[in-house]
Amino acid sequence: MTAPKRSLPRTHRATNQSELAAETHRFFHRRQRQPHVVTGYIKAPHAGYILDE
C-alpha cells in the first residue's frame, strides 16, 4: 500500500497569488528531481489516455 499523496502541508498554503506562484514553482522544481514520481503520474490508470496513440 502506498502513502496518501499530499502536495502541500496545511501550514504552507498560499494566501495570495504571489505565494501560490512561488509554491507552484517549488512543487514543479522538486518534481524535476523526482522523475519516478512523474512517471508514476503518467502510468496511473486514470491517465492511460495520455499514452494512447
Side-chain angles (χ1 to χ4, degrees):
M1 179 178 271
T2 60
K5 294 179 180 173
R6 294 183 181 99
S7 59
L8 297 172
R10 290 184 187 268
T11 58
H12 291 105
R13 292 201 177 170
T15 58
N16 60 45
Q17 189 172 1
S18 63
E19 286 181 12
L20 177 60
E23 290 292 340
T24 303
H25 184 270
R26 280 191 286 274
F27 175 84
F28 283 111
H29 190 258
R30 284 191 303 269
R31 294 305 168 261
Q32 285 180 321
R33 292 182 255 146
Q34 299 173 323
H36 63 283
V37 173
V38 175
T39 301
Y41 290 150
I42 294 169
K43 289 186 176 182
H46 68 275
Y49 69 92
I50 295 170
L51 300 176
D52 289 342
E53 294 284 326

